[in-house]
């Protein structure tokens, strides 16, 4: 892989800091709230279907997740969800939003190294704008990044808009993230480069069975491995 990239972009959730773990914890508590009406497996099946159906309206992030939990509760209870459960669902969402930001091991050392090499670093992440801005501020990582892009989706067209904004060609762009489906594959389709660093938990919507053989991407087990590549 070449080293003279004009821009190196990092995904945020589960690449720079822990995210999916908190969603799983909230899901478990949500299932427990509805245990009188449904099994955990049934609740999760309805919740996932509801989330996917709502993506175009709500996008990605905790607030959309909370609305999908409320809708799921209404479906499972036949629109007779007890007010106390609704109250607890909203409380679960606020608790998740206010979770402290837990940086992944090796992030700061790696960003310091890349900064010392004069790379232009940016964040390119999906999610709710306010939520992601809040997490970035809590992370104390803002000083490392030239630009922060919160994207409504991560399709090739979305990355092309980002490249146009940055005034660079795809061949000069490296994307680093935990999701092959969202962070790597769309960039490869444009002729860019990717480094996939899987997180131990992946949202089912981001899981993929196919990882294309391509000279422009590699998989690393830890972010610290970037020091040996760039």
């Amino acid at each position: 892989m070449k080293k003279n990239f004009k821009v190196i972009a990092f995904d945020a959730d589960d690449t720079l800091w822990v995210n999916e773990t908190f969603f799983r914890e909230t899901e478990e508590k949500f299932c427990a709230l509805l245990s009188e009406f449904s099994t955990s497996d049934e609740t999760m099946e309805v919740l996932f279907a509801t989330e996917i159906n709502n993506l175009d309206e709500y996008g990605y992030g905790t607030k959309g997740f909370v609305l999908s939990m409320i809708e799921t509760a209404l479906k499972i209870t036949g629109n007779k969800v007890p007010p106390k459960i609704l109250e607890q669902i909203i409380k679960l969402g606020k608790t998740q939003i206010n979770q402290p930001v837990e940086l992944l091991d090796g992030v700061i050392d790696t960003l310091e190294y890349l900064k010392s090499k004069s790379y232009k670093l940016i964040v390119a992440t999906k999610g709710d704008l306010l939520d992601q801005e809040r997490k970035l501020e809590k992370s104390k990582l803002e000083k490392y990044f030239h630009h922060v892009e919160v994207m409504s989706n991560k399709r090739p067209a979305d990355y092309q808009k980002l490249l146009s904004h940055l005034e660079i060609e795809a061949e000069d762009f490296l994307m680093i993230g935990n999701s092959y489906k969202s962070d790597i594959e769309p960039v490869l389709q444009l002729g860019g480069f990717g480094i996939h660093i899987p997180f131990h938990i992946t949202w089912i919507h981001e899981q993929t069975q196919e990882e294309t053989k391509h000279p422009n991407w590699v998989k690393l087990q830890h972010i610290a491995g970037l020091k040996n590549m760039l």
Side-chain angles (χ1 to χ4, degrees):
M1 180 176 289
K2 72 175 196 174
K3 297 185 179 182
N4 58 332
F5 296 103
K6 292 182 179 179
V7 174
I8 297 177
F10 283 85
D11 177 52
D13 294 334
D14 299 318
T15 298
L16 298 175
W17 52 66
V18 175
N19 179 66
E20 190 61 25
T21 302
F22 298 135
F23 276 87
R24 293 296 172 87
E25 291 173 354
T26 301
E27 287 168 352
E28 290 178 4
K29 293 174 182 177
F30 174 65
C31 288
L33 287 175
L34 295 178
S35 60
E36 179 184 344
F37 305 93
S38 174
T39 68
S40 292
D41 287 345
E42 290 169 342
T43 299
M44 284 304 302
E45 183 177 348
V46 176
L47 175 60
F48 178 66
T50 303
E51 287 183 274
I52 297 304
N53 189 55
N54 287 337
L55 279 179
D56 286 343
E57 284 77 23
Y58 301 155
Y60 298 84
T62 301
K63 285 181 279 189
F65 175 56
V66 173
L67 289 171
S68 291
M69 284 196 293
I70 291 172
E71 185 176 342
T72 297
L74 290 168
K75 290 177 180 178
I76 287 175
T77 63
N79 292 324
K80 296 180 180 179
V81 56
K84 286 186 178 181
I85 290 182
L86 285 176
E87 183 180 352
Q88 287 301 310
I89 292 171
I90 294 171
K91 186 176 180 180
L92 285 176
K94 289 183 177 181
T95 297
Q96 182 165 312
I97 286 174
N98 289 296
Q99 286 281 1
V101 171
E102 180 182 338
L103 295 181
L104 293 175
D105 184 48
V107 165
I108 292 180
D109 288 345
T110 301
L111 294 178
E112 286 283 358
Y113 170 81
L114 295 175
K115 186 177 180 181
S116 74
K117 295 291 183 179
S118 299
Y119 281 112
K120 180 181 287 187
L121 307 179
I122 71 167
V123 173
T125 188
K126 287 192 296 190
D128 175 80
L129 177 61
L130 181 60
D131 196 24
Q132 295 297 62
E133 287 180 339
R134 182 187 297 113
K135 284 189 282 188
L136 186 61
E137 182 178 359
K138 287 182 179 179
S139 75
K140 308 298 183 184
L141 297 180
E142 292 173 292
K143 62 182 179 180
Y144 296 106
F145 297 109
H146 171 79
H147 175 71
V148 177
E149 187 81 8
V150 180
M151 307 163 74
S152 59
N153 211 327
K154 283 185 170 180
R155 297 162 298 200
D158 301 299
Y159 280 106
Q160 186 57 61
K161 288 180 181 178
L162 174 60
L163 293 174
S164 298
H165 174 74
L166 295 169
E167 299 183 328
I168 61 171
E169 300 297 325
E171 63 187 21
D172 296 317
F173 181 75
L174 171 64
M175 181 69 201
I176 299 169
N178 68 294
S179 170
Y180 178 85
K181 181 179 178 181
S182 290
D183 299 321
I184 309 303
E185 189 172 33
V187 174
L188 296 181
Q189 291 180 25
L190 295 174
F193 290 76
I195 296 179
H196 183 207
I197 308 176
F199 189 64
H200 67 280
I201 301 174
T202 302
W203 185 34
I204 189 171
H205 180 62
E206 295 292 346
Q207 294 175 4
T208 180
Q209 298 299 320
E210 298 182 6
E211 294 186 352
T212 306
K213 291 184 179 180
H214 195 290
N216 286 17
W217 80 279
V218 297
K219 180 183 289 187
L220 295 178
Q221 296 305 312
H222 195 279
I223 196 171
L226 293 173
K227 295 181 183 180
N228 298 322
M229 300 190 62
L230 299 170

